[in-house]
Amino acid sequence: MASMSMDKNFEELCYSCRTGDIDNLDRLISTGVNLNGVDKFDNSPLFLASLCGHEEVVKLLLQRGAVCDRDRFEGARCIYGALNEAIKETLLSYDISKAVDVKQSFATHVSSIYNEESFLSRDISFRAPNGQLFTAHRFLLCARSEVLAEKMTNEWAKIEIVPIEVHSDIFEIFLKFLYLIPILHQIEPGQYEELIKLSSDLSIELLPEFLDKARHIADPTKKSRLMSDYQYKFTEIARNQLLLFVNNCIFSSAVDVAEDEQQTTSLMNCPAYPDIQLSVKNRNGTTRVYPCHLAILNRAKYFKVMFTNNFKEKLTYVKAKDLSGHNNGVATQLTLPNCEFEVAEIILRYLYADSTDISWMYAVDVLLLADILLEDRLKTITSTIITQSKEFIQEHNVFDVLYLSWEIGVERLEQFAAKFIAMHLQELYKDPEIEKAILLSSERISLRQETDTIELVDDIRYYLLRKYSFEPDDVELFQNQDDLEYLKEVGYLEYRKDMEMLESILTDLELDV
């Protein structure tokens, strides 16, 4: 079943590359689909995007790990098949030896917390033989390595500074690797042996395999290709590891608190190694507390502003007991806006592991919460899921979708609603909601003049042309055509019927547009 799902995702990815749907492409890439596969016609996603002239899609594919090797047939096809010079230049100039997705918020954010010192609390340090000190986050190390997680639970449980026997330059490379900093191209030949031993001892998935291959390759082009292939794999492994950590350590450690309970439970000593507790209340009045991390919550702009500007009024300090029932001082707690626990957990999976597995049933609530958290990318991805879900539009009124798009400012949803209205205009013509929607759209124009266009009306007119596969020039020609059979055959009579319905609505509203 999983492979069928991945095949379907790959087909959809190829379609998005042909049409230039960068939002849907972003969503599909987050599912782990193979960017370097080929479709039944032997076309790679990168080739399709290049051939169809979608420069931004080409850039995103390259940043996410798609390989354009000019020394191979597929790479040469991409370059010579590129629709324009800008795409060709992008493909020729892209340095695959340093391939890293600077726009992928997950990898970029994890890398950023390595150097962030201001407020993202690190809770473990390592002292190298030369005395150099490295600080890190226990939770991230636990997520990235089962061996490190076991050491944290046992021999390092009460140690703040761990002495290590590894050379400082080797340990620094290793630590940066765990934080997803692109350092593969910086490894010197003399460092491979020690890094292979260290990564093998700590069971770091695929890293020993990569290092063993890389040390036997002298050709820079071949080594660059290898780095590009593995860099993407390493990011996907990290995403899956953090997703497991969220499910197994954060969600499994969360506790429910009754509405009238005055004293909550401290989770600060649970297996997640949290530095803050996130409190959420659902519609039944039950509060659930999740052990979380400032370093990850900081990925959402709302939390980043809160933490960096020291908005202490948003934080609460609760008297708490530990899991064994003993008093444990106070715990720092942050409250998320009221929502169902499933919605809160979708948000946490996204922040921690870039998971975009969002059910259409929770999509509206996720959109609203993402809007509060100022997470525009999550809003875009969720709106993409909505527009591709047949179940969603069967259960929700299209006008509610339109009003939601205006409320949270998602153009994709607005276009989806306008297209749906155009495609079903003859069914919706008598629905009073369509007049209300057009009137509200007209009121959204600041200082609207009597003959100004109305955005919703313009969009409906555009999608009516699309509905019948017409261009504006076609309509002018049809207007001067007397052959009714021909006009019926090409669909113009149905198009005119739709347009007359729209004009009738505008006349009833006394709107001249």
Side-chain angles (χ1 to χ4, degrees), residues 364-425:
V364 171
D365 290 334
V366 171
L367 267 176
L368 292 170
L369 191 51
D371 188 53
I372 292 172
L373 297 178
L374 306 176
E375 259 303 309
D376 289 340
R377 179 170 175 263
L378 182 56
K379 284 165 56 178
T380 301
I381 288 173
T382 308
S383 67
T384 303
I385 290 169
I386 287 174
T387 60
Q388 299 192 347
S389 169
K390 293 178 181 177
E391 297 91 343
F392 183 91
I393 202 60
Q394 289 171 354
E395 294 293 326
H396 291 79
N397 186 302
V398 68
F399 297 104
D400 290 337
V401 175
L402 178 65
Y403 303 148
L404 176 65
S405 74
W406 289 343
E407 180 184 348
I408 62 176
V410 178
E411 186 180 354
R412 188 185 186 98
L413 277 187
E414 185 176 358
Q415 295 298 316
F416 168 76
K419 182 178 180 180
F420 186 91
I421 293 169
M423 297 299 170
H424 300 84
L425 187 58

Side-chain angles (χ1 to χ4, degrees), residues 269-303:
N269 295 319
C270 76
Y273 302 100
D275 53 19
I276 196 167
Q277 297 183 170
L278 187 66
S279 170
V280 185
K281 182 184 286 188
N282 70 4
R283 70 178 64 179
N284 297 323
T286 303
T287 297
R288 181 168 292 176
V289 183
Y290 297 92
C292 292
H293 307 86
L294 292 171
I296 297 297
L297 296 186
N298 174 55
R299 183 180 170 192
K301 200 175 295 183
Y302 172 86
F303 291 130

Side-chain angles (χ1 to χ4, degrees), residues 202-221:
L202 297 179
S203 297
I204 304 301
E205 191 175 347
L206 278 189
L207 183 56
E209 177 186 303
F210 162 77
L211 292 168
D212 187 53
K213 289 181 179 180
R215 67 173 172 172
H216 293 107
I217 296 176
D219 182 78
T221 301

Side-chain angles (χ1 to χ4, degrees), residues 24 52 71 86 109 111 190 217 321 335 345 355 392 418 423 440 504:
N24 197 41
C52 296
D71 296 328
H109 183 73
S111 297
I217 296 176
K321 294 180 180 180
T335 301
E345 291 176 5
S355 172
F392 183 91
M423 297 299 170
L440 287 173
S504 175

Side-chain angles (χ1 to χ4, degrees), residues 166-210:
V166 183
H167 290 134
S168 59
D169 58 337
I170 299 297
F171 191 76
E172 183 175 14
I173 290 172
F174 175 74
L175 203 55
K176 285 182 176 180
F177 173 83
L178 294 185
Y179 278 83
L180 298 181
I181 295 172
I183 43 77
L184 300 181
H185 60 286
Q186 296 177 4
I187 302 173
E188 300 292 336
Q191 297 173 322
Y192 278 107
E193 197 65 47
E194 282 189 82
L195 280 170
I196 289 173
K197 183 179 186 312
L198 178 61
S199 56
S200 298
D201 290 345
L202 297 179
S203 297
I204 304 301
E205 191 175 347
L206 278 189
L207 183 56
E209 177 186 303
F210 162 77

Side-chain angles (χ1 to χ4, degrees), residues 93-208:
S93 64
Y94 197 76
D95 186 355
I96 62 174
S97 70
K98 299 178 182 179
V100 58
D101 177 14
V102 295
K103 291 185 179 178
Q104 184 182 356
S105 54
F106 164 72
T108 303
H109 183 73
V110 173
S111 297
S112 72
I113 67 176
Y114 179 82
N115 293 316
E116 179 62 69
E117 299 284 356
S118 57
F119 64 91
L120 307 181
S121 55
R122 303 181 188 209
D123 47 6
I124 191 166
S125 299
F126 298 89
R127 192 181 299 280
N130 65 354
Q132 188 171 350
L133 202 65
F134 298 92
T135 58
H137 302 84
R138 285 181 187 264
F139 84 89
L140 186 64
L141 302 189
C142 288
R144 299 286 274 122
S145 164
E146 290 183 5
V147 175
L148 287 174
E150 187 177 342
K151 288 180 178 293
M152 298 287 183
T153 304
N154 298 307
E155 58 192 280
W156 296 349
K158 296 183 179 179
I159 300 178
E160 292 184 3
I161 301 179
V162 178
I164 56 173
E165 298 178 358
V166 183
H167 290 134
S168 59
D169 58 337
I170 299 297
F171 191 76
E172 183 175 14
I173 290 172
F174 175 74
L175 203 55
K176 285 182 176 180
F177 173 83
L178 294 185
Y179 278 83
L180 298 181
I181 295 172
I183 43 77
L184 300 181
H185 60 286
Q186 296 177 4
I187 302 173
E188 300 292 336
Q191 297 173 322
Y192 278 107
E193 197 65 47
E194 282 189 82
L195 280 170
I196 289 173
K197 183 179 186 312
L198 178 61
S199 56
S200 298
D201 290 345
L202 297 179
S203 297
I204 304 301
E205 191 175 347
L206 278 189
L207 183 56

Side-chain angles (χ1 to χ4, degrees), residues 12 69 221 240:
E12 194 177 337
D69 184 352
T221 301
N240 291 329

